[in-house]
Amino acid sequence: MKREVARSLFLLGSLVVASVAMAAWQPPVTQVLSATATGAHCPIPRVAKVVAEAKPDQELLLFMYGMKQGLRP
């Protein structure tokens, strides 16, 4: 196959892929979620049982302190 034919087929294929991608792309839209539209997700139960008491360990607190110190200019 000649280079010119291969190059033109590659160009045609890339244009087809770009046009399909542009046709399938949907811009993001802003939506306001209301309490009436709760059918799409599962609401959090009002009474939740605590399985175990959460106790942060010292290594996690030291890591968080080190990360905060690193953010200073």
Side-chain angles (χ1 to χ4, degrees):
M1 184 182 298
K2 291 186 178 181
R3 280 189 172 175
E4 294 83 16
V5 174
R7 188 178 298 159
S8 60
L9 285 176
F10 178 74
L11 178 64
L12 181 65
S14 62
L15 288 175
V16 166
V17 168
S19 62
V20 168
M22 191 173 95
W25 183 72
Q26 295 177 356
V29 294
T30 56
Q31 296 178 350
V32 177
L33 298 177
S34 64
T36 59
T38 57
H41 68 283
C42 181
I44 299 173
R46 293 182 186 217
V47 179
K49 294 180 182 178
V50 177
V51 176
E53 187 176 328
K55 296 179 183 177
D57 59 342
Q58 296 298 323
E59 293 177 5
L60 178 63
L61 292 175
L62 185 61
F63 174 72
M64 291 175 61
Y65 179 72
M67 292 295 288
K68 184 176 182 326
Q69 294 297 324
L71 293 176
R72 290 187 179 174

